[in-house]
Amino acid sequence: MKNVYDVVIIGGGVVGCAVARELARYRTKTLLLEKTNDICNGQSKANTAILHGGYDAKPGTLKAKFNVLGNAMFDRIHEELEVPVQWNTSLVVSFSKEGHPALERLLDQGIQNGCRGELRIIDEQELRRREPNVGSTACEALLVGSGGIVCPYELTEAYAENAAMNGAQFLRNAGVTNLRRLPNGHWQVISTVGTFETRAVVNAAGVYSDVFNNMVSERKVHIHPRRGEYYIVDKKYHNMFHAAMF
């Protein structure tokens, strides 16, 4: 019976570890399975580190709803887990007057979505006062006061550490190979480190979450990953810009 859990979480990224931390607040027996040798080894390690204000998502969607709610959580996360959070704002910059209607649309979306904090269009003078190194043709920008940054490594580690301290169990090098519904209504989770029975499964497998969804759901989905590139700039340029620039 030692392999019977209330919840098994698949994936040790920022979402999986955040879920483990939340479940550890309750009297649940929780297990997180991570296929690599450590947490934060997948998409979580390679994101932008930006806390988006919520202006960009289509109003009325779950993405818009949870973007704004998630953004508002980070003051509490900072206090509870001592994770550094910097509210450095975001600026969506327009380089021609023809871009003004687009900024107005984003502003309207942000208002509809309930973005917290300052949200307004600033003129060129204020833009250059805030960001002296912005391009010479920049003429205005949408200022998003609730834009911020947080280190994805520190955040994920803090979630996992707190979850483990409160009783959640973590297994690494534990790739899930199959899921199966049992006659008693529970789930059987088959992995490279053993087979587990659980009342519930949380699929937090990132770009592989479609694989596990399609093992058990009649509604098949397929994730189309997108790969981008980042330029790493010497730290001596860290004050080139202050806001996250779009």
Side-chain angles (χ1 to χ4, degrees):
M1 294 295 293
K2 68 177 182 178
N3 281 350
V4 178
Y5 291 85
D6 294 307
V7 184
V8 169
I9 302 166
I10 304 173
V14 65
V15 173
C17 291
V19 170
R21 188 222 178 197
E22 190 65 27
L23 289 173
R25 297 172 180 265
Y26 304 92
R27 293 180 179 176
T28 59
K29 186 178 180 183
T30 300
L31 172 67
L32 184 147
L33 300 174
E34 165 54 41
K35 71 175 182 178
T36 70
N37 64 355
D38 206 353
I39 61 168
C40 205
N41 260 350
Q43 291 75 55
S44 295
K45 76 175 186 300
N47 66 41
T48 63
I50 295 171
L51 302 177
H52 291 279
Y55 62 89
D56 196 37
K58 182 180 178 181
T61 62
L62 289 175
K63 182 177 181 179
K65 175 183 177 180
F66 291 121
N67 189 161
V68 173
L69 289 175
N71 180 282
M73 290 171 53
F74 274 89
D75 285 331
R76 174 170 57 83
I77 291 168
H78 167 69
E79 293 176 2
E80 293 177 352
L81 299 180
E82 299 181 349
V83 175
V85 176
Q86 184 178 344
W87 297 110
N88 62 326
T89 74
S90 297
L91 288 170
V92 185
V93 181
S94 175
F95 291 89
S96 72
K97 289 299 181 182
E98 286 71 29
H100 183 78
L103 293 185
E104 290 282 3
R105 285 194 297 271
L106 292 177
L107 173 62
D108 182 61
Q109 284 189 173
I111 294 170
Q112 290 186 62
N113 292 344
C115 291
R116 66 193 188 104
E118 193 173 15
L119 186 69
R120 59 187 176 89
I121 295 174
I122 61 175
D123 60 18
E124 181 179 355
Q125 183 178 5
E126 183 175 354
L127 171 59
R128 295 193 182 282
R129 177 177 61 78
R130 288 174 172 270
E131 301 292 350
N133 295 308
V134 71
S136 60
T137 58
C139 56
E140 58 181 346
L142 176 67
L143 169 65
V144 185
S146 56
I149 54 175
V150 64
C151 174
Y153 298 104
E154 290 180 274
L155 178 64
T156 307
E157 289 171 3
Y159 281 143
E161 181 181 63
N162 189 247
M165 290 174 64
N166 286 312
Q169 299 176 42
F170 289 73
L171 290 177
R172 294 169 291 178
N173 295 310
V176 173
T177 58
N178 204 1
L179 298 172
R180 187 167 58 192
R181 193 79 167 185
L182 297 174
N184 64 0
H186 290 187
W187 293 94
Q188 185 181 67
V189 182
I190 303 169
S191 78
T192 55
V193 295
T195 299
F196 308 93
E197 182 178 332
T198 180
R199 292 168 54 197
V201 176
V202 175
N203 179 3
V207 297
Y208 299 100
S209 57
D210 56 346
V211 174
F212 301 110
N213 172 84
N214 295 344
M215 287 180 181
V216 299
S217 176
E218 292 182 358
R219 182 185 177 190
K220 307 303 180 184
V221 297
H222 183 65
I223 293 174
H224 299 272
R226 294 186 298 173
R227 178 175 292 176
E229 295 182 349
Y230 289 108
Y231 291 97
I232 299 176
V233 181
D234 193 288
K235 287 184 178 180
K236 67 183 178 181
Y237 297 108
H238 76 281
N239 279 327
M240 182 67 68
F241 295 102
H242 304 92
M245 306 292 285
F246 296 93

